[in-house]
Amino acid sequence: MSIIKDIYDVAKEGASQASKIGVVKRALRTEAKLNLKFLMDVALSMDIDDKRRVEIIKNLELDELSAAVRYELPYLAISRKKVTKELTEQYKIKRALDYDLEKLIESLFLMISYLKKDYKNKRIDLNLRLININKYNNLLIELLG
């Protein structure tokens, strides 16, 4: 009887773990989709001024990305996908080739958090930075797909 109980406990723990991983994945995907909405003007190559760019930067969400960077997540359990050559060509980001979920999340987190803190720097091309954030955000959505 104890073997059956052990198997039951392991199966129950595995189901609980899978549920938690699903919650994390959904939270990351939802935040990326929300950021996608904020970046829509950039994605559509609309002519926007710096005031609008600053509004977009301030609206970008970082909570889930920050938590993902801060805490030890089972990234492979969330997604085993990597950035392929086809994705780098589609989004025109050669340097992201072979990025896994962890590397992509870390890169996107750093890009957004840096821009949120230093957007007033006149040497920064806000439009180019937002375009790159949009590309990485789209890659994140692909890997979480």
Side-chain angles (χ1 to χ4, degrees):
M1 191 80 105
S2 67
I3 291 176
I4 293 173
K5 171 125 175 55
D6 288 344
I7 291 171
Y8 172 78
D9 289 344
V10 168
K12 186 176 178 183
E13 185 179 317
S16 173
Q17 195 75 340
S19 175
K20 290 175 185 174
I21 289 169
V23 168
V24 170
K25 185 175 183 176
R26 189 169 38 257
L28 285 167
R29 189 180 320 117
T30 300
E31 184 170 271
K33 286 181 178 179
L34 178 60
N35 284 341
L36 189 63
K37 296 284 186 191
F38 293 133
L39 293 163
M40 195 55 65
D41 293 350
V42 175
L44 296 174
S45 300
M46 296 180 76
D47 188 26
I48 55 177
D49 60 7
D50 274 350
K51 183 179 175 187
R52 176 65 184 138
R53 288 186 187 103
V54 169
E55 287 175 16
I56 292 169
I57 292 166
K58 288 181 178 181
N59 285 328
L60 290 173
E61 292 290 328
L62 266 177
D63 295 339
E64 301 304 330
L65 289 173
S66 177
V69 169
R70 195 174 313 124
Y71 302 111
E72 183 123 356
L73 292 179
Y75 290 103
L76 287 176
I78 295 170
S79 177
R80 292 186 177 277
K81 296 178 184 175
K82 286 191 172 193
V83 178
T84 63
K85 185 175 182 189
E86 292 77 26
L87 287 174
T88 61
E89 289 171 357
Q90 179 181 347
Y91 294 109
K92 297 177 179 91
I93 311 174
K94 291 179 184 176
R95 75 182 115 177
L97 182 63
D98 292 330
Y99 274 25
D100 60 3
L101 183 63
E102 181 177 9
K103 180 76 173 164
L104 186 61
I105 286 174
E106 181 182 323
S107 296
L108 184 58
F109 170 76
L110 289 172
M111 291 167 78
I112 294 173
S113 57
Y114 171 76
L115 195 56
K116 280 181 161 287
K117 292 181 180 184
D118 203 23
Y119 65 87
K120 291 181 182 178
N121 186 339
K122 296 294 181 196
R123 292 179 294 177
I124 294 176
D125 183 344
L126 296 180
N127 195 53
L128 182 60
R129 297 289 174 109
L130 287 171
I131 288 169
N132 287 331
I133 288 171
N134 182 56
K135 290 176 181 180
Y136 275 72
N137 192 66
N138 284 321
L139 278 175
L140 179 59
I141 292 170
E142 288 275 346
L143 292 192
L144 292 171

